[in-house]
Amino acid sequence: AQTVTQSQPEMSVQEAETVTLSCTYDTSENNYYLFWYKQPPSRQMILVIRQEAYKQQNATENRFSVNFQKAAKSFSLKISDSQLGDTAMYFCAFMNYGGSQGNLIFGKGTKLSVKP
Amino acid sequence: GAVVSQHPSWVICKSGTSVKIECRSLDFQATTMFWYRQFPKQSLMLMATSNEGSKATYEQGVEKDKFLINHASLTLSTLTVTSAHPEDSSFYICSARERVTPLHFGNGTRLTVT
């Protein structure tokens, strides 16, 4: 069974600085997707970034980028130029590429606080 | 873009009553929808996978007779919490898949059982 581990329950960063959230996962599959979701106090799940395991290039979305290390099964999220609106829970998630119906397996989350 | 509508956003009910939560895909067809439960300050846990036209697949430990799932059309799945008790109070979120990815989430339903 796949597992996702986020070892940082809480983190804080000063506005405009950079922060990295850690995520490791365990799977025997070769093809899969990895995601970072943001959940603000409204509790809406917002997709931040996704990575296909077969792609070596790290995904980037504006201020958000990932460091995907497939051999190490590591998938960290870097937030540059942090903004107050980035304050939220961040969940790392795993999804099998094929042979499944597409359910996500979530880590326990990291609560990020951006301080002015 | 694709949107998933979940209704109601919050509900308060008395112990012993049943509550129905709806999850609709508004501009795409979703053959599969997923129901998650989230306790305060915890992660999302998959409860069941809802398949259009067939029985739902429940995760281990989830009572299928208590959490009834119906996926009668390609755009609607419902979760009914039957004979609700205070321990069923939680945040319930649905999601639907458009092609392979991404998964689209509803806004969630906060259920409080008094």
Side-chain angles (χ1 to χ4, degrees):
Chain A
Q2 290 85 7
T3 58
V4 177
T5 302
Q6 293 178 250
S7 59
Q8 306 153 316
E10 294 190 36
M11 291 194 72
S12 65
V13 63
Q14 290 295 130
E15 193 175 9
E17 295 190 346
T18 296
V19 64
T20 299
L21 308 184
S22 300
C23 173
T24 59
Y25 59 95
D26 189 24
T27 183
S28 59
E29 302 291 333
N30 190 48
N31 294 321
Y32 48 87
Y33 293 93
L34 294 164
F35 305 87
W36 278 97
Y37 279 90
K38 170 185 178 181
Q39 189 181 43
S42 67
R43 304 191 81 170
Q44 171 69 43
M45 294 295 286
I46 301 168
L47 177 64
V48 175
I49 199 166
R50 70 179 183 184
Q51 174 84 39
E52 290 90 339
Y54 66 87
K55 290 186 177 179
Q56 292 186 337
Q57 187 173 7
N58 289 325
T60 299
E61 287 288 342
N62 301 313
R63 298 183 294 109
F64 300 88
S65 61
V66 297
N67 183 3
F68 173 48
Q69 301 290 327
K70 189 173 184 180
K73 296 180 181 175
S74 172
F75 183 61
S76 61
L77 173 70
K78 185 172 80 172
I79 305 175
S80 303
D81 186 25
S82 298
Q83 300 176 0
L84 296 178
D86 295 335
T87 293
M89 283 291 292
Y90 286 81
F91 292 99
C92 179
F94 172 99
M95 186 176 84
N96 271 324
Y97 179 80
S100 77
Q101 301 181 76
N103 59 289
L104 289 167
I105 300 169
F106 288 93
K108 292 188 175 182
T110 296
K111 183 179 181 181
L112 177 67
S113 298
V114 180
K115 301 184 183 303
Chain B
V3 176
V4 172
S5 174
Q6 187 172 341
H7 178 80
S9 57
W10 60 272
V11 58
I12 302 173
C13 71
K14 292 186 176 181
S15 185
T17 61
S18 295
V19 174
K20 179 184 285 188
I21 303 170
E22 293 187 348
C23 182
R24 294 180 183 272
S25 57
L26 296 184
D27 56 1
F28 66 99
Q29 293 183 333
T31 56
T32 303
M33 292 185 176
F34 305 93
W35 288 96
Y36 294 85
R37 183 174 182 176
Q38 186 180 29
F39 289 106
K41 300 184 179 181
Q42 294 191 24
S43 189
L44 282 74
M45 297 298 296
L46 180 67
M47 298 176 64
T49 302
S50 171
N51 301 296
E52 187 267 336
S54 64
K55 292 183 178 181
T57 302
Y58 290 83
E59 295 300 302
Q60 191 174 8
V62 178
E63 299 177 58
K64 62 180 181 181
D65 294 331
K66 180 167 192 60
F67 299 100
L68 300 180
I69 292 174
N70 183 277
H71 195 151
S73 76
L74 287 171
T75 59
L76 175 64
S77 176
T78 61
L79 168 67
T80 301
V81 183
T82 62
S83 186
H85 291 285
E87 57 266 29
D88 298 324
S89 298
S90 189
F91 191 68
Y92 295 87
I93 311 176
C94 70
S95 70
R97 191 179 72 174
E98 181 184 23
R99 301 185 185 89
V100 179
T101 64
L103 283 174
H104 303 286
F105 283 86
N107 287 336
T109 298
R110 185 183 304 276
L111 170 64
T112 301
V113 184
T114 61

